[in-house]
């Protein structure tokens, strides 16, 4: 089983950055700067050549007055990626809504589709037809949970890797590289697994396309209870963080699981060599909006 963070580096290394273009500052909101903004002369507390806004920064509304005050009306940025999310089975539909919404929230232009086909060959055709209008394709389901198994026909699409990864949940997912270097992320139908992979893999892939920072922005809290996790496996569970104390919600299934994720304000990212995590241990987590 492949180490998760090695897998993470490998996947991101295969994702290309989109080409930059010049855009008026008002239209650049939500995009990522492809150039650092420098002071051309001494301005306020800035000295000539000081970096005022770094390359890779997402343009936000309150940045525009600063740019306009410097006389900048146009910037070089990378476009919003076009992401197509495809549900490949009936039970994958809830997770496909989540993946599409998360992609949209981090800056992608998203289209969600349902291709609940009876054969894997029809899925190949559906994916191939979408490549001309996609910078990234995300399939949800179709990993052998039903009649479709994209792994059996992956070579008809392009190079692929479905090596099991040391993360729970989400051990079984895949990465493909289609023609014109369009990356494809194959997520499982299971809502819980798909949610974890959306946060830890899909969102960094979109950031890479946009030329933005890909590192997950982790926070730290202290566990309010001892835990037992699988040794040497990245374990992710919904949690509630309040005043730097983290309480784990557990992993209920079905609608209860979806509700637990909805109610959580953090996704705990835990790891232990022996599988034991003591109370009051510092634990990493991804804040959930």
């Amino acid at each position: 089983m492949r180490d998760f963070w090695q897998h993470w580096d490998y996947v991101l290394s295969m994702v290309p950055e989109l080409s930059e273009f010049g855009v008026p500052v008002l239209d650049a909101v939500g995009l990522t700067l492809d150039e650092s903004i420098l002071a051309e002369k001494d301005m306020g507390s800035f000295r000539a050549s000081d970096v005022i806004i770094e390359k890779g920064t997402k343009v936000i509304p309150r940045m525009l007055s600063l740019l306009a005050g410097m006389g900048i009306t146009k910037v070089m940025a990378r476009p919003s990626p076009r992401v197509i999310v495809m549900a490949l089975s009936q039970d994958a539909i809830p997770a496909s809504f989540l993946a599409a919404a998360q992609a949209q929230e981090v800056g992608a232009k998203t289209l969600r589709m349902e291709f609940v086909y009876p054969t894997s060959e029809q899925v190949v055709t559906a994916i191939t037809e979408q490549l001309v209008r996609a910078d990234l394709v995300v399939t949800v389901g179709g990993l052998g949970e039903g009649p479709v198994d994209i792994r059996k026909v992956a070579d008809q699409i392009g190079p692929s890797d479905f090596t099991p990864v040391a993360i729970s949940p989400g051990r079984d997912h895949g990465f493909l590289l289609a023609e014109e270097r369009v990356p494809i992320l194959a997520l499982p139908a299971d809502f819980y697994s798909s949610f974890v992979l959306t946060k830890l893999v899909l969102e960094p892939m979109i950031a890479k396309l946009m030329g933005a920072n890909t590192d997950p922005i982790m926070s730290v809290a202290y566990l309010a209870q001892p835990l037992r996790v699988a040794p040497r496996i990245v374990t992710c569970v919904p949690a509630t963080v309040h005043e730097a104390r983290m309480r784990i919600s557990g992993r209920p299934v079905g609608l209860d699981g979806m509700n637990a994720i909805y109610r959580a304000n953090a996704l705990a990212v835990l790891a232990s060599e022996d599988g034991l995590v003591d109370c009051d241990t510092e634990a990493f987590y991804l804040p959930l909006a």
Side-chain angles (χ1 to χ4, degrees), residues 119-197:
T119 69
S120 299
E121 286 72 19
Q122 287 174 300
V123 169
V124 172
T125 300
I127 291 174
T128 303
E129 289 176 347
Q130 301 306 315
L131 295 177
V132 295
R133 57 173 178 169
D135 299 306
L136 170 64
V137 174
V138 181
T139 62
V140 187
L143 292 177
E145 308 99 324
V148 171
D149 192 339
I150 193 174
R151 295 170 296 188
K152 295 181 178 179
V153 291
D155 59 347
Q156 299 179 38
I157 300 172
S160 64
D161 190 339
F162 288 89
T163 304
V165 180
I167 185 170
S168 177
R171 172 182 180 272
D172 295 315
H173 64 280
F175 176 79
L176 302 89
L177 196 60
E179 59 187 48
E180 302 301 325
R181 292 197 70 200
V182 177
I184 301 172
L185 177 63
L187 299 177
D190 174 64
F191 180 89
Y192 204 110
S193 300
S194 187
F195 170 68
V196 168
L197 295 169

Side-chain angles (χ1 to χ4, degrees), residues 21-29 31 64 73-75:
F21 71 115
V23 58
V25 292
L26 192 58
D27 296 330
V29 174
L31 304 183
L64 299 194
T73 58
K74 188 175 183 179
V75 295

Side-chain angles (χ1 to χ4, degrees), residues 72-109:
I72 297 173
T73 58
K74 188 175 183 179
V75 295
M76 295 298 293
R78 296 186 188 272
S80 297
R82 301 165 299 167
V83 177
I84 294 181
V85 179
M86 304 170 63
L88 302 184
S89 60
Q90 192 70 31
D91 58 346
I93 291 175
S96 73
F97 272 99
L98 171 72
Q102 289 293 141
Q104 185 170 304
E105 185 178 59
V106 296
K109 295 179 180 177

Side-chain angles (χ1 to χ4, degrees), residues 233-254:
I233 290 179
V234 175
T235 301
C236 300
V237 288
T240 300
V241 175
H242 179 66
E243 296 182 348
R245 300 288 289 177
M246 181 191 297
R247 294 190 179 277
I248 302 301
S249 305
R251 188 189 172 183
V253 298

